[in-house]
Amino acid sequence: MRYIFGLILFVLCASGCYYDHADLVYPQTACNLTGVTYSVSVKTILSSNCYTCHSGSAVAGGGIALDNYTIVKAYVTNGQLMNSINRTGGIPAMPLSGSQLGSCEIQTIQAWINSGTPNN
């Protein structure tokens, strides 16, 4: 009887150790980097994550307003935008009071930069 109980316990425990492949259970959505534009892609990311502090007079954002293409391009050119987003380069990590932007958002901004930062 003890043998049968042990065998049943073993079978139950062994069947409970099954695990799925994470990529099949939690599929990752692909980051679509085709057709990245400033007006639709980049501005939407900045609006959702940065404009709270960095728009208008930008008093809360240290005087840095990112709601204007010309200013955003200047921060791309001097390297500060990506250094702050990637949290590298010795400048404050952004968003300051939140978690880092998602990988796809960072890749989208980088794709726009790699395409020459067009005002499109």
Side-chain angles (χ1 to χ4, degrees), residues 78-80 82-93:
N78 68 21
Q80 289 184 347
M82 289 311 293
N83 281 336
S84 65
I85 291 172
N86 285 319
R87 300 174 176 214
T88 59
I91 54 178

Side-chain angles (χ1 to χ4, degrees), residues 5 10-11 26 30 41 46 49 53-54 59 67 73 84 101 111:
F5 178 72
F10 174 77
V11 170
Y26 306 107
S41 311
L46 296 176
N49 298 284
C53 299
H54 296 289
V59 174
D67 56 355
K73 183 168 179 170
S84 65
L101 295 179

